[in-house]
Amino acid sequence: MAQWTSAIGSTQLARLLTSQQPRPAGPGTRRPPAYRALADGIRLLVLEGRVPVATRLPAERELAQALSVSRTTVAAAYEALRGEGFLESRRGAGSWTAVPAGNPLPARGLEPLPPEALGSMIDLGTAALPAPEPWLTRAVQGALEELPPYAHTHGDYPAGLPALRTMIAERYTAHGIPTMPEQIMVTTGAMGAIDAICHLFAGRGERVAVESPSYANILQLMREAGLRLVPVAMADGLQGWDLDRWRQVLREAAPRLAYVVADFHNPTGALADEEQRRSLVDSARAAGTVLVVDETMTELHLDAGLDMPRRVCAFDPAGSTVVTVGSASKAFWAGMRIGWVRAAPDVIRSLVAARAYADLGTPVLEQLAVNWLLNTGGWEEAVALRRGQARENRDALVTAVRRELPDWEFDVPNGGLTLWVKAGGLSGSRLAELGERVGVRVPSGPRFGVDGAFEGYVRLPFTVGGAVADEAAARLAAAARLVRDGQGAGGDVPRTLIA
């Protein structure tokens, strides 16, 4: 029986391979043989999770034609990968990807680093900060005090606790967007909200327009749901959306959904202005596209005097075109898995009805904790603490990267949790691979794109500060030197670089 569980076509694999930047050649160094470069490219795709383990690769002849190389080159590359443990083969069943014994399976999204690895690895993979104490403890204590009446019920609230739905609706109303509790559904985090929205509005094979780059875990969620991603390039720097491109995609591709992050976009940090927001809502309405707006970063404005634009849903208050997703995970703590959807009442009813076949509801205790925070003013205090922590981390990381890696390019955002960095002409995939070997974990740009885009980028979150930010930048500089020196094809990393 074959050991593969999925397959990749020759055209798709060739597209992923050609998106990779070649390893820079240092003075006096020779380019690797063609088969070695091909083997390295496939290995990187496996290590990054962009080609999953147990994926059947194209036949040698098919891939050779797609890449315009000889079949001998492909055969030699496959043989090298088999020797390194990244490929297995069986006569009559083909060849499929693998990882050598003892290697961890690569992640397809951006999973947090296991706690046992935190002592030796600086984790820049996940844009999440520690809990803003003492507010987490106080919120849980407050929730426990309010729990007894709910303990006498069945505990299933598919739309969310009425008290929390009312509180969230009142907060939108306070922002000038009249909202009823019937327009709110509480979910298990923003990911749970977007998963439910995708299943309601878009079937397998339907088009979804996404910013390019966009949040890696949402892109992967949509891929797993069988949706066809239509990338729309962001404007340069921190300018937000390119409206001409959006109008063209909405008009010509007619996507069923569009997913955007207007406030401190993940990963670029861009903040869309009011005119961009109004124009995109009008364009989506004209195209019949449902605009899914991710507001998880909205409250993380970091610089004094920043004039925040109105929420996107202010330009569609009834919620017929704009479906808004919010969350406590970024503004408060990632361990507080409470999210919500704001939409028209009929959309909320449909989402709630479909939930009976998913997770039934969100944990009551966590809902009570968020409700306690919102009721007591603890939310504002905790978010202010979070902003200060993120601001200090951002400034420390910016200073350290500019010192250690002066040829890396980025714009400093006014909020959010991430820097989007052009890595001085180096491969983001190779930086990610070698970074782990020198003690720093960083996601490469292609995780945030469609079909291998952004190979020359990495994302750096504001999760470390002070001396740890300095050390993280020093380790990234060490990884960059190894990439420039041509290591990464199984060569040894000097142990002096590993703390």
Side-chain angles (χ1 to χ4, degrees), residues 154-161 185-189 192 337-339 351-352 354-367:
H154 49 66
D156 287 335
Y157 296 88
L161 294 184
M185 181 178 83
V186 180
T187 63
T188 308
R337 304 304 304 163
I338 298 295
L351 287 169
V352 171
R355 195 171 193 179
Y357 308 102
D359 64 354
L360 294 177
T362 302
V364 170
L365 188 62
E366 292 185 25
Q367 292 188 71

Side-chain angles (χ1 to χ4, degrees), residues 2 11 13 29 118 125 153 181 219 239 323 351 353 381 397 424 436:
T11 301
L13 181 56
T29 61
L118 291 176
T153 73
L219 295 180
Q239 298 178 47
V323 176
L351 287 169
E381 295 279 354
L397 187 64
E436 294 217 16

Side-chain angles (χ1 to χ4, degrees), residues 232-251:
V232 185
M234 297 287 289
D236 292 336
L238 299 177
Q239 298 178 47
W241 300 318
D242 185 327
L243 268 301
D244 289 338
R245 288 173 176 170
W246 270 105
R247 293 188 192 100
Q248 180 181 4
V249 167
L250 292 174
R251 182 176 62 251

Side-chain angles (χ1 to χ4, degrees), residues 205-228:
E206 292 201 71
R207 296 184 181 93
V208 178
V210 295
E211 297 152 326
S212 182
S214 187
Y215 178 37
N217 284 341
I218 294 298
L219 295 180
Q220 191 58 35
L221 181 155
M222 292 177 175
R223 291 186 187 102
E224 297 289 349
L227 304 180
R228 296 169 60 190

Side-chain angles (χ1 to χ4, degrees), residues 173 236 286 289 346 361 408 451:
T173 301
D236 292 336
T289 297
D346 62 317
W408 286 20
D451 287 337

Side-chain angles (χ1 to χ4, degrees), residues 446-470:
R447 288 181 177 269
F448 303 89
V450 177
D451 287 337
F454 307 110
E455 179 59 49
Y457 289 78
V458 292
R459 190 195 72 171
L460 305 181
F462 314 146
T463 52
V464 296
V468 181
D470 292 338

